[in-house]
Amino acid sequence: MSGQVMADKPPIPAEDVVKDVPPPPPRPSGNPVFRMMGMPNFRFKLPSRNWLIFLSVTGSFTTAVLYDRYHKKRAQQRWCNIVSHIAREPLPTTQMPRKITIFLSAPPGDTIRAAREHFHEYVKPVLVAAAMDWDVIEGRREGDVRAGLAEKIRKRRRKDGETPANSDETKSSEEREDLVQTLRGTSGVKDWEGVQGDLVLGRHTWKEYVRGLHEGWLGPLDPPPDTAETSNSKNDASPIPSEQSSAADDTPQTSDTLAKSDPLSASGDPAKPLSDSPQAAPKKEEKPKAPVQIPPYISTSAYPSAPIAPTIPDVLPPATILPLPHLLGFLNTPIRIYRFLNRRHLADETGRQVAALVLASHIRPWDPKSEFMGSAAIPGQENVPQAYNVPTTLERWELENVLEGEERDWHKVAWKRYQGEPERVWRNSMVIDSRIGERMRRFDLLSDQEDQARKDDGEDPAAKGFWANIKETLGWEEDRSVKGWEHGNFGEESE
């Protein structure tokens, strides 16, 4: 009976059987570890062509910048390590520290900010490592450094006993400036008795420095008559509004003039403020004028006939000259990029010169006989063009050739000529008087000191790495003390 019922049941189609089978679960894609941690599925693939170009260019430039910055810091640290022992030397409480004078001026075509940033980035770290004190003479325009140095030398000459003709005018100002020095003398505080030194930044500042030395020691203490009249006319010149007001005071005041001059009386309403009157105009605040630059007291053509100051020392303070590469212009962008990626060489050379000034271990005079190839005119035919001049060997002072290549990078403003312009120290060639040049000195670094600095890897001995600090904290630092048997002493192994 049951078999008959099963035979009567219709068979199930094969399609329905296949449909009833559940599909297999999807295969998990990606790394199962990332999937369990809740991280997205990373599909690593090669970037496109444009991305490869962008990443290669930016990566190469970033690598070059980081490489240069790393070696720049090592070079600066190398010279800081060689002068750091001076900061640890004891100094008596009754003695002032060594103070050097820094001369910096705005580069041609730019502001003084560029020179200040260069000083803070390349020069100041070495001076701070040696705990040096310094005084700065800045120049915001051409001639300021020359005038400041010359005036400083003239004050020193007056202090040493030279008396100018109009001594009454400068006596009061100098007494105020020497008040601090007098207080130090009464307290028993002495100045530094050793070498002080000057630091000059850039070729343009060096030209003004040399010009200021000659003006201070060869020029008079009193300004020439034409210089005094020029400075007085600039200082005493009255502005135009004061002249108009004085002229208005001389004219008779009528009702019209009173109405124009006094808007309050013209309106007839004393309670009405002046600002409501249409004739009242707000006064504009006048900007402070730049200080008048002191013209030179002596010209370069008067050097041979000028008497030298009787109080001049036998040796002038030595100086060191640092490079200040400063190139402007859009077309010079490739050169500027190259210099930006090679600042480690500039930091190394600047640190070397500053270390020579700080150590002051070797001071030498300037060579007055530096030969170079030039052209001289034929005697009796001075009007012949320069192309037909005779090539010959000329002699120049060594200090005239210092950083001469920087003049090619100067902005065109430094070479322009203006009608009625004052003396242009940057554009004119340097004129050296033998009496001043023979007394000038410069700092040099000994070969032994330079070799010692080159052997230093430039690492800060006080700085430790991350793992070194961890080992020191956990007490895992290795004992690097030298054992007795390493010295060749026997019998101390068990001690």
Side-chain angles (χ1 to χ4, degrees):
M1 187 68 180
S2 60
Q4 185 178 0
V5 174
M6 292 180 62
D8 296 340
K9 188 176 182 179
I12 301 174
E15 298 177 357
D16 296 341
V17 175
V18 174
K19 290 181 180 179
D20 294 340
V21 177
R27 184 177 181 181
S29 60
N31 195 329
V33 178
F34 292 163
R35 186 173 64 255
M36 293 177 183
M37 295 175 62
M39 299 178 63
N41 183 20
F42 294 102
R43 299 181 61 185
F44 298 99
K45 61 179 181 179
L46 191 66
S48 63
R49 167 182 168 273
N50 295 338
W51 273 108
L52 286 176
I53 295 174
F54 172 76
L55 293 177
S56 60
V57 172
T58 56
S60 301
F61 187 80
T62 305
T63 304
V65 172
L66 296 178
Y67 177 83
D68 178 73
R69 184 178 300 179
Y70 172 74
H71 285 279
K72 171 191 166 186
K73 291 182 178 179
R74 290 173 65 95
Q76 287 184 341
Q77 191 61 44
R78 180 187 305 119
W79 298 111
C80 290
N81 294 342
I82 199 175
V83 300
S84 60
H85 68 278
I86 300 179
R88 297 187 294 268
E89 295 179 358
L91 185 68
T93 57
T94 58
Q95 185 178 6
M96 295 293 296
R98 180 187 174 190
K99 178 182 287 188
I100 62 176
T101 307
I102 298 173
F103 298 87
L104 55 92
S105 178
D110 207 340
T111 60
I112 198 174
R113 181 180 178 180
R116 288 177 179 173
E117 291 179 350
H118 185 88
F119 169 77
H120 284 282
E121 186 174 0
Y122 296 98
V123 183
K124 187 178 179 180
V126 184
L127 297 179
V128 172
M132 299 292 295
D133 190 10
W134 62 81
D135 190 11
V136 183
I137 296 180
E138 292 184 344
R140 298 178 178 272
R141 52 182 175 174
E142 182 179 0
D144 286 353
V145 173
R146 185 268 312 160
L149 178 58
E151 185 63 24
K152 181 181 179 181
I153 296 175
R154 285 192 287 266
K155 290 180 180 179
R156 177 180 175 181
R157 291 171 58 183
R158 298 188 194 101
K159 185 179 179 180
D160 292 343
E162 295 189 38
T163 56
N166 51 353
S167 58
D168 298 336
E169 299 180 1
T170 58
K171 186 176 180 181
S172 59
S173 61
E174 292 184 2
E175 285 180 354
R176 291 192 298 267
E177 294 176 0
D178 295 342
L179 179 60
V180 178
Q181 193 70 17
T182 304
L183 293 176
R184 290 175 181 172
T186 55
S187 303
V189 180
K190 300 179 181 179
D191 291 335
W192 182 267
E193 299 179 355
V195 179
Q196 300 281 5
D198 298 335
L199 189 147
V200 185
L201 198 60
R203 166 77 175 182
H204 60 292
T205 313
W206 174 243
K207 278 191 167 184
E208 294 192 36
Y209 176 84
V210 175
R211 180 70 172 94
L213 281 180
H214 286 74
E215 180 185 347
W217 293 114
L218 297 180
L221 294 178
D222 299 324
D226 53 349
T227 303
E229 293 176 0
T230 304
S231 60
N232 292 336
S233 63
K234 290 182 180 180
N235 294 330
D236 300 338
S238 56
I240 297 178
S242 63
E243 296 178 358
Q244 293 177 351
S245 61
S246 62
D249 295 340
D250 298 338
T251 57
Q253 296 186 357
T254 61
S255 59
D256 298 336
T257 57
L258 288 175
K260 293 180 180 180
S261 61
D262 192 357
L264 180 60
S265 61
S267 60
D269 188 2
K272 190 176 182 180
L274 294 175
S275 59
D276 296 340
S277 177
Q279 298 180 0
K283 295 183 179 180
K284 296 182 180 179
E285 296 181 359
E286 296 182 357
K287 296 182 179 180
K289 298 181 179 180
V292 179
Q293 187 181 107
I294 303 176
Y297 284 19
I298 184 174
S299 61
T300 56
S301 58
Y303 286 172
S305 59
I308 195 169
T311 57
I312 185 174
D314 296 335
V315 177
L316 294 177
T320 184
I321 304 92
L322 304 180
L324 179 60
H326 189 72
L327 185 63
L328 300 176
F330 177 77
L331 298 179
N332 296 322
T333 301
I335 302 177
R336 298 173 65 180
I337 293 177
Y338 174 80
R339 292 182 179 180
F340 177 76
L341 298 177
N342 290 274
R343 292 186 299 175
R344 58 187 181 275
H345 304 299
L346 178 61
D348 186 40
E349 178 63 22
T350 303
R352 177 183 177 277
Q353 297 292 341
V354 178
L357 179 143
V358 172
L359 297 175
S361 56
H362 181 59
I363 301 173
R364 68 171 181 86
W366 293 91
D367 188 7
K369 297 180 180 180
S370 179
E371 297 183 354
F372 74 103
M373 294 301 298
S375 59
I378 303 175
Q381 300 181 6
E382 287 77 8
N383 297 328
V384 177
Q386 189 175 2
Y388 297 95
N389 291 347
V390 180
T392 181
T393 303
L394 305 179
E395 292 184 356
R396 294 176 64 186
W397 283 80
E398 181 189 1
L399 54 88
E400 298 183 55
N401 304 329
V402 176
L403 301 178
E404 194 173 10
E406 287 189 3
E407 296 187 3
R408 295 192 295 267
D409 297 343
W410 287 358
H411 195 263
K412 59 184 180 181
V413 176
W415 307 106
K416 283 187 177 180
R417 297 180 180 272
Y418 303 96
Q419 185 176 3
E421 62 182 3
E423 179 185 5
R424 302 292 299 277
V425 183
W426 296 349
R427 190 185 61 198
N428 300 339
S429 58
M430 300 176 64
V431 180
I432 309 299
D433 188 88
S434 59
R435 295 170 293 177
I436 302 297
E438 293 173 355
R439 288 177 167 84
M440 296 178 64
R441 298 292 185 270
R442 72 171 301 176
F443 293 100
D444 265 351
L445 193 66
L446 296 176
S447 57
D448 300 340
Q449 296 173 344
E450 186 172 0
D451 295 341
Q452 179 184 356
R454 298 297 180 187
K455 291 179 182 178
D456 188 6
D457 55 357
E459 294 290 344
D460 189 359
K464 296 182 179 180
F466 175 76
W467 293 112
N469 293 329
I470 295 296
K471 290 181 179 179
E472 184 180 0
T473 304
L474 299 177
W476 296 349
E477 190 173 3
E478 299 179 1
D479 185 13
R480 299 185 179 181
S481 60
V482 182
K483 306 300 181 181
W485 60 83
E486 296 180 3
H487 286 292
N489 301 327
F490 298 96
E492 300 181 0
E493 290 84 352
S494 60
E495 295 181 1

